[in-house]
Protein backbone atom coordinates (compact mmCIF):
# COMPACT_ATOMS: atom_id res chain seq x y z
CA UNK A 1 0.00 0.00 0.00
CA UNK A 2 0.98 3.60 -0.43
CA UNK A 3 0.47 4.14 3.26
CA UNK A 4 2.95 7.00 3.32
CA UNK A 5 4.00 9.64 0.85
CA UNK A 6 7.16 8.62 -0.96
CA UNK A 7 10.05 11.03 -0.60
CA UNK A 8 12.14 11.89 -3.67
CA UNK A 9 15.07 10.12 -2.05
CA UNK A 10 13.15 6.92 -1.44
CA UNK A 11 14.14 3.72 -3.18
CA UNK A 12 12.22 2.66 -6.25
CA UNK A 13 9.33 0.39 -5.33
CA UNK A 14 8.74 -2.42 -7.83
CA UNK A 15 5.54 -4.37 -7.26
CA UNK A 16 5.24 -7.87 -8.70
CA UNK A 17 2.27 -10.25 -8.70
CA UNK A 18 3.21 -12.08 -5.52
CA UNK A 19 0.26 -10.73 -3.53
CA UNK A 20 -3.10 -9.78 -5.00
CA UNK A 21 -5.59 -7.50 -3.31
CA UNK A 22 -9.24 -6.86 -4.05
CA UNK A 23 -9.61 -3.68 -6.13
CA UNK A 24 -11.33 -0.72 -4.49
CA UNK A 25 -14.61 0.77 -5.57
CA UNK A 26 -14.41 2.28 -9.05
CA UNK A 27 -13.65 5.97 -9.08
CA UNK A 28 -14.36 8.57 -11.74
CA UNK A 29 -12.79 11.80 -12.93
CA UNK A 30 -14.41 14.82 -11.31
CA UNK A 31 -13.49 17.92 -13.27
CA UNK A 32 -11.29 20.31 -11.25
CA UNK A 33 -12.35 23.30 -13.34
CA UNK A 34 -15.94 24.29 -14.01
CA UNK A 35 -15.43 27.30 -16.24
CA UNK A 36 -18.40 28.05 -18.51
CA UNK A 37 -17.49 28.02 -22.19
CA UNK A 38 -18.93 31.50 -22.48
CA UNK A 39 -15.96 32.68 -20.44
CA UNK A 40 -13.62 31.47 -23.16
CA UNK A 41 -12.94 33.01 -26.54
CA UNK A 42 -12.50 29.39 -27.71
CA UNK A 43 -9.80 29.79 -30.26
CA UNK A 44 -7.76 26.93 -31.62
CA UNK A 45 -4.70 27.04 -33.80
CA UNK A 46 -3.29 24.60 -36.27
CA UNK A 47 -0.10 22.72 -35.45
CA UNK A 48 1.62 24.60 -38.25
CA UNK A 49 1.04 27.85 -36.39
CA UNK A 50 3.08 26.57 -33.45
CA UNK A 51 6.07 25.35 -35.42
CA UNK A 52 8.27 27.75 -33.47
CA UNK A 53 6.86 26.66 -30.11
CA UNK A 54 10.07 25.00 -28.96
CA UNK A 55 12.55 27.24 -27.18
CA UNK A 56 15.79 28.03 -29.07
CA UNK A 57 17.77 25.43 -27.13
CA UNK A 58 15.51 22.67 -28.47
CA UNK A 59 15.06 23.78 -32.08
CA UNK A 60 18.25 22.10 -33.24
CA UNK A 61 16.62 18.73 -32.55
CA UNK A 62 14.73 17.81 -35.72
CA UNK A 63 11.08 16.84 -35.29
CA UNK A 64 9.72 15.15 -38.39
CA UNK A 65 6.04 15.36 -39.34
CA UNK A 66 4.54 12.13 -40.68
CA UNK A 67 1.07 11.02 -41.75
CA UNK A 68 -0.29 7.82 -40.23
CA UNK A 69 -2.97 6.13 -42.31
CA UNK A 70 -4.16 2.72 -43.56
CA UNK A 71 -3.12 -0.04 -42.88
CA UNK A 72 -2.30 1.24 -39.39
CA UNK A 73 -5.84 2.65 -39.20
CA UNK A 74 -8.98 0.71 -40.03
CA UNK A 75 -10.06 2.71 -43.10
CA UNK A 76 -8.29 4.31 -46.06
CA UNK A 77 -10.29 7.45 -45.24
CA UNK A 78 -8.68 7.82 -41.81
CA UNK A 79 -5.42 9.71 -41.24
CA UNK A 80 -3.72 11.78 -38.58
CA UNK A 81 -0.49 13.72 -38.24
CA UNK A 82 2.24 12.58 -35.89
CA UNK A 83 5.59 14.04 -34.91
CA UNK A 84 8.70 11.88 -34.65
CA UNK A 85 12.11 12.60 -33.12
CA UNK A 86 15.01 10.33 -32.16
CA UNK A 87 17.32 7.58 -33.34
CA UNK A 88 16.30 5.29 -36.17
CA UNK A 89 15.75 1.69 -35.06
CA UNK A 90 15.79 2.74 -31.38
CA UNK A 91 13.10 1.50 -29.00
CA UNK A 92 9.95 3.50 -29.65
CA UNK A 93 7.90 5.55 -27.21
CA UNK A 94 4.49 7.02 -28.04
CA UNK A 95 4.18 10.37 -26.19
CA UNK A 96 0.61 11.45 -25.41
CA UNK A 97 -0.45 15.06 -25.03
CA UNK A 98 -1.95 16.90 -22.08
CA UNK A 99 -5.42 18.38 -22.48
CA UNK A 100 -3.89 21.42 -24.21
CA UNK A 101 -3.09 19.46 -27.37
CA UNK A 102 0.24 19.05 -29.18
CA UNK A 103 1.88 22.21 -27.89
CA UNK A 104 5.39 23.34 -26.92
CA UNK A 105 5.42 21.32 -23.69
CA UNK A 106 4.64 17.92 -25.16
CA UNK A 107 7.26 18.61 -27.86
CA UNK A 108 9.75 19.38 -25.10
CA UNK A 109 8.96 16.05 -23.44
CA UNK A 110 9.38 14.14 -26.72
CA UNK A 111 12.76 15.76 -27.38
CA UNK A 112 13.85 15.01 -23.79
CA UNK A 113 12.83 11.36 -24.17
CA UNK A 114 14.68 11.01 -27.48
CA UNK A 115 17.88 12.25 -25.80
CA UNK A 116 17.81 9.86 -22.83
CA UNK A 117 20.47 7.14 -22.90
CA UNK A 118 20.58 4.72 -24.62
CA UNK A 119 18.32 6.62 -27.04
CA UNK A 120 14.66 6.37 -27.93
CA UNK A 121 12.47 7.19 -30.92
CA UNK A 122 9.57 9.34 -29.70
CA UNK A 123 6.31 9.76 -31.61
CA UNK A 124 3.52 12.22 -30.72
CA UNK A 125 0.13 11.41 -32.28
CA UNK A 126 -2.03 14.49 -32.79
CA UNK A 127 -5.18 13.36 -31.01
CA UNK A 128 -6.93 16.73 -31.52
CA UNK A 129 -6.21 16.82 -35.26
CA UNK A 130 -4.32 20.11 -35.18
CA UNK A 131 -6.24 21.95 -32.49
CA UNK A 132 -4.54 23.45 -29.44
CA UNK A 133 -6.33 25.01 -26.47
CA UNK A 134 -5.14 28.49 -25.56
CA UNK A 135 -6.63 28.61 -22.07
CA UNK A 136 -8.17 26.29 -19.48
CA UNK A 137 -11.73 26.53 -20.82
CA UNK A 138 -10.61 25.72 -24.36
CA UNK A 139 -8.50 22.78 -23.20
CA UNK A 140 -11.39 21.45 -21.15
CA UNK A 141 -13.71 21.79 -24.15
CA UNK A 142 -11.29 19.95 -26.42
CA UNK A 143 -10.78 17.13 -23.92
CA UNK A 144 -14.52 16.74 -23.34
CA UNK A 145 -15.00 16.50 -27.10
CA UNK A 146 -12.34 13.82 -27.53
CA UNK A 147 -13.42 10.42 -28.83
CA UNK A 148 -11.53 8.41 -26.21
CA UNK A 149 -12.04 5.06 -27.91
CA UNK A 150 -10.88 6.69 -31.14
CA UNK A 151 -7.80 8.01 -29.31
CA UNK A 152 -6.97 4.45 -28.21
CA UNK A 153 -7.10 3.42 -31.88
CA UNK A 154 -4.70 6.28 -32.70
CA UNK A 155 -2.34 5.04 -29.98
CA UNK A 156 -2.44 1.51 -31.34
CA UNK A 157 -1.75 2.81 -34.86
CA UNK A 158 1.20 4.82 -33.50
CA UNK A 159 2.64 1.80 -31.68
CA UNK A 160 2.34 -0.36 -34.78
CA UNK A 161 3.83 2.35 -37.02
CA UNK A 162 6.91 2.46 -34.78
CA UNK A 163 7.21 -1.33 -34.82
CA UNK A 164 6.94 -1.33 -38.61
CA UNK A 165 9.62 1.36 -38.85
CA UNK A 166 12.55 -0.02 -36.90
CA UNK A 167 11.48 -0.17 -33.25
CA UNK A 168 11.46 -3.76 -31.98
CA UNK A 169 9.66 -2.77 -28.78
CA UNK A 170 7.43 0.23 -28.05
CA UNK A 171 6.27 1.88 -24.85
CA UNK A 172 3.63 4.51 -24.21
CA UNK A 173 3.88 7.53 -21.94
CA UNK A 174 1.60 10.47 -21.36
CA UNK A 175 0.86 13.46 -19.19
CA UNK A 176 -2.48 14.44 -17.60
CA UNK A 177 -5.06 13.34 -20.22
CA UNK A 178 -2.25 11.47 -21.93
CA UNK A 179 -1.35 9.77 -18.65
CA UNK A 180 -4.85 8.37 -18.38
CA UNK A 181 -4.71 7.23 -22.01
CA UNK A 182 -1.31 5.60 -21.50
CA UNK A 183 -2.70 3.46 -18.68
CA UNK A 184 -5.70 2.64 -20.88
CA UNK A 185 -3.27 1.50 -23.57
CA UNK A 186 -1.79 -1.06 -21.16
CA UNK A 187 -5.26 -2.60 -21.03
CA UNK A 188 -6.54 -2.08 -24.57
CA UNK A 189 -3.49 -2.15 -26.88
CA UNK A 190 -1.87 -5.60 -26.86
CA UNK A 191 1.21 -4.44 -28.80
CA UNK A 192 2.34 -2.09 -25.98
CA UNK A 193 5.45 -3.35 -24.15
CA UNK A 194 5.63 -0.85 -21.25
CA UNK A 195 3.85 2.23 -19.90
CA UNK A 196 4.88 5.27 -17.86
CA UNK A 197 1.96 7.49 -16.85
CA UNK A 198 2.14 10.96 -15.35
CA UNK A 199 -0.74 12.23 -13.20
CA UNK A 200 -3.76 10.69 -14.90
CA UNK A 201 -6.01 7.65 -14.40
CA UNK A 202 -8.60 6.47 -16.97
CA UNK A 203 -12.29 6.33 -16.19
CA UNK A 204 -13.70 2.89 -15.46
CA UNK A 205 -15.80 3.25 -18.60
CA UNK A 206 -12.66 3.47 -20.74
CA UNK A 207 -10.38 0.90 -19.13
CA UNK A 208 -9.92 -1.00 -15.87
CA UNK A 209 -6.26 -0.96 -14.75
CA UNK A 210 -6.89 -4.28 -13.03
CA UNK A 211 -6.84 -5.70 -16.56
CA UNK A 212 -3.47 -4.16 -17.49
CA UNK A 213 -1.24 -6.40 -19.58
CA UNK A 214 1.93 -4.29 -19.89
CA UNK A 215 4.18 -3.14 -16.99
CA UNK A 216 3.04 0.25 -15.63
CA UNK A 217 4.98 2.95 -13.80
CA UNK A 218 2.94 5.93 -12.56
CA UNK A 219 3.87 9.34 -11.12
CA UNK A 220 1.68 11.70 -9.08
CA UNK A 221 2.09 14.94 -7.14
CA UNK A 222 1.15 14.98 -3.46
CA UNK A 223 -0.65 18.33 -3.87
CA UNK A 224 -2.53 17.40 -7.05
CA UNK A 225 -6.19 18.43 -6.60
CA UNK A 226 -7.72 16.83 -9.69
CA UNK A 227 -10.06 14.77 -7.52
CA UNK A 228 -10.52 11.18 -8.66
CA UNK A 229 -8.23 11.67 -11.65
CA UNK A 230 -4.73 12.35 -10.36
CA UNK A 231 -4.90 13.19 -6.66
CA UNK A 232 -3.35 10.96 -3.98
CA UNK A 233 -6.60 9.06 -3.52
CA UNK A 234 -6.65 8.26 -7.24
CA UNK A 235 -3.01 7.15 -7.04
CA UNK A 236 -3.76 4.76 -4.17
CA UNK A 237 -6.80 3.38 -5.99
CA UNK A 238 -4.67 2.84 -9.07
CA UNK A 239 -2.15 0.94 -6.98
CA UNK A 240 -4.83 -1.45 -5.79
CA UNK A 241 -6.00 -1.99 -9.37
CA UNK A 242 -2.46 -2.68 -10.57
CA UNK A 243 -1.92 -5.18 -7.75
CA UNK A 244 -4.92 -7.09 -9.03
CA UNK A 245 -3.61 -7.04 -12.60
CA UNK A 246 -0.64 -9.27 -11.88
CA UNK A 247 1.79 -7.14 -13.89
CA UNK A 248 4.97 -5.44 -12.55
CA UNK A 249 4.31 -1.84 -11.54
CA UNK A 250 5.56 1.14 -9.61
CA UNK A 251 3.57 4.02 -8.14
CA UNK A 252 5.44 7.15 -7.02
CA UNK A 253 4.08 10.22 -5.21
CA UNK A 254 6.21 13.37 -5.00
CA UNK A 255 5.86 15.50 -1.83
CA UNK A 256 5.17 19.20 -2.32
CA UNK A 257 4.34 18.83 -6.01
CA UNK A 258 1.03 19.62 -7.70
CA UNK A 259 -0.41 18.59 -11.06
CA UNK A 260 1.78 18.82 -14.17
CA UNK A 261 4.97 19.18 -12.12
CA UNK A 262 7.04 17.84 -15.03
CA UNK A 263 6.36 20.97 -17.10
CA UNK A 264 9.53 23.02 -16.69
CA UNK A 265 9.69 25.33 -19.71
CA UNK A 266 9.35 29.04 -18.99
CA UNK A 267 5.95 29.03 -20.67
CA UNK A 268 4.87 25.91 -18.82
CA UNK A 269 5.91 27.30 -15.42
CA UNK A 270 4.02 30.53 -16.13
CA UNK A 271 0.92 28.60 -17.16
CA UNK A 272 1.01 26.42 -14.03
CA UNK A 273 1.34 29.50 -11.81
CA UNK A 274 -1.68 31.08 -13.51
CA UNK A 275 -3.62 27.94 -12.53
CA UNK A 276 -2.55 28.17 -8.87
CA UNK A 277 0.36 25.71 -9.01
CA UNK A 278 3.50 27.64 -8.01
CA UNK A 279 5.62 24.65 -6.93
CA UNK A 280 8.99 24.20 -8.64
CA UNK A 281 10.97 21.09 -7.72
CA UNK A 282 13.79 20.32 -10.13
CA UNK A 283 14.97 17.42 -7.96
CA UNK A 284 11.59 15.69 -8.25
CA UNK A 285 11.54 16.24 -12.01
CA UNK A 286 15.01 14.75 -12.46
CA UNK A 287 14.14 11.81 -10.21
CA UNK A 288 10.99 11.13 -12.24
CA UNK A 289 12.96 11.22 -15.51
CA UNK A 290 15.54 8.86 -14.01
CA UNK A 291 12.82 6.41 -13.02
CA UNK A 292 11.24 6.78 -16.47
CA UNK A 293 14.53 5.93 -18.19
CA UNK A 294 15.17 2.92 -15.96
CA UNK A 295 11.67 1.55 -16.54
CA UNK A 296 11.60 2.01 -20.30
CA UNK A 297 15.14 0.67 -20.72
CA UNK A 298 14.27 -2.40 -18.67
CA UNK A 299 11.18 -3.34 -20.67
CA UNK A 300 12.04 -2.05 -24.13
CA UNK A 301 15.49 -3.60 -24.45
CA UNK A 302 15.40 -6.08 -27.32
Amino acid sequence: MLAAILSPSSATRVFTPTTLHKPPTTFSFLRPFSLPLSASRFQVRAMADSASALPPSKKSQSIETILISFPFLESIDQTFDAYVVGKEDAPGIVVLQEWWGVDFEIKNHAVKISQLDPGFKALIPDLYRGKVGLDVAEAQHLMEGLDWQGAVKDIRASVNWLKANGSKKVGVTGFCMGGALSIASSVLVPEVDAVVAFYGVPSSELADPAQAKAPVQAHFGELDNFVGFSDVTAAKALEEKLKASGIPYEVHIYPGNAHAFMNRSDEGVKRRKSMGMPDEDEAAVELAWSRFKTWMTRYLSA
Side-chain angles (χ1 to χ4, degrees):
M1 292 291 293
L2 280 173
I5 299 297
L6 301 179
S7 68
S9 60
S10 64
T12 299
R13 300 172 63 187
V14 181
F15 297 84
T16 55
T18 53
T19 305
L20 302 184
H21 294 262
K22 182 179 178 181
T25 303
T26 301
F27 53 90
S28 60
F29 172 27
L30 305 178
R31 285 175 294 184
F33 301 107
S34 300
L35 301 181
L37 290 180
S38 59
S40 166
R41 60 193 187 283
F42 188 65
Q43 299 172 355
V44 294
R45 62 185 177 213
M47 191 66 208
D49 296 333
S50 59
S52 61
L54 285 174
S57 62
K58 299 288 187 182
K59 288 181 181 177
S60 60
Q61 186 76 20
S62 174
I63 298 180
E64 176 187 2
T65 303
I66 64 168
L67 186 69
I68 294 182
S69 58
F70 182 84
F72 300 104
L73 293 167
E74 295 174 350
S75 167
I76 59 174
D77 299 324
Q78 297 176 321
T79 64
F80 64 87
D81 286 338
Y83 307 92
V84 182
V85 59
K87 293 168 53 177
E88 290 297 325
D89 300 329
I93 298 180
V94 177
V95 184
L96 301 176
Q97 66 198 51
E98 297 177 294
W99 68 344
W100 307 105
V102 182
D103 67 351
F104 58 88
E105 202 68 77
I106 204 67
K107 288 182 181 180
N108 288 341
H109 291 326
V111 170
K112 171 76 173 181
I113 289 166
S114 73
Q115 295 173 342
L116 294 173
D117 290 332
F120 297 99
K121 187 176 182 179
L123 182 151
I124 310 169
D126 190 351
L127 304 181
Y128 287 167
R129 302 300 192 262
K131 296 178 180 178
V132 178
L134 302 180
D135 59 30
V136 166
E138 292 173 4
Q140 179 174 317
H141 183 84
L142 287 168
M143 185 176 74
E144 288 175 347
L146 180 68
D147 174 1
W148 289 74
Q149 293 291 347
V152 171
K153 292 179 181 179
D154 290 351
I155 296 165
R156 187 174 190 181
S158 300
V159 170
N160 287 330
W161 185 93
L162 284 165
K163 289 195 171 185
N165 286 272
S167 297
K168 294 181 180 179
K169 291 189 176 182
V170 176
V172 177
T173 191
F175 304 80
C176 183
M177 181 185 85
L181 282 166
S182 64
I183 292 173
S185 77
S186 74
V187 178
L188 302 172
V189 181
E191 296 86 356
V192 171
D193 295 301
V195 163
V196 177
F198 291 90
Y199 30 80
V201 176
S203 69
S204 58
E205 292 79 12
L206 179 63
D208 180 1
Q211 303 301 316
K213 301 172 183 66
V216 175
Q217 183 186 78
H219 304 262
F220 298 89
E222 175 196 10
L223 304 182
D224 197 318
N225 62 359
F226 281 53
V227 177
F229 179 69
S230 53
D231 64 340
V232 171
T233 299
K236 292 179 178 180
L238 174 65
E239 183 193 6
E240 292 301 305
K241 291 280 189 176
L242 293 175
K243 281 181 182 177
S245 74
I247 52 94
Y249 72 93
E250 295 177 1
V251 175
H252 301 287
I253 297 177
Y254 297 81
N257 286 270
H259 192 75
F261 66 89
M262 297 296 287
N263 293 351
R264 300 303 306 136
S265 70
D266 291 343
E267 298 92 336
V269 170
K270 181 178 178 180
R271 184 164 64 186
R272 290 184 76 249
K273 287 182 178 179
S274 73
M275 296 170 65
M277 295 178 280
D279 54 288
E280 296 185 42
D281 189 345
E282 293 292 348
V285 171
E286 290 306 311
L287 179 59
W289 279 125
S290 175
R291 287 168 167 165
F292 174 100
K293 183 178 77 169
T294 299
W295 192 259
M296 287 301 195
T297 300
R298 178 185 303 158
Y299 291 106
L300 300 187
S301 297

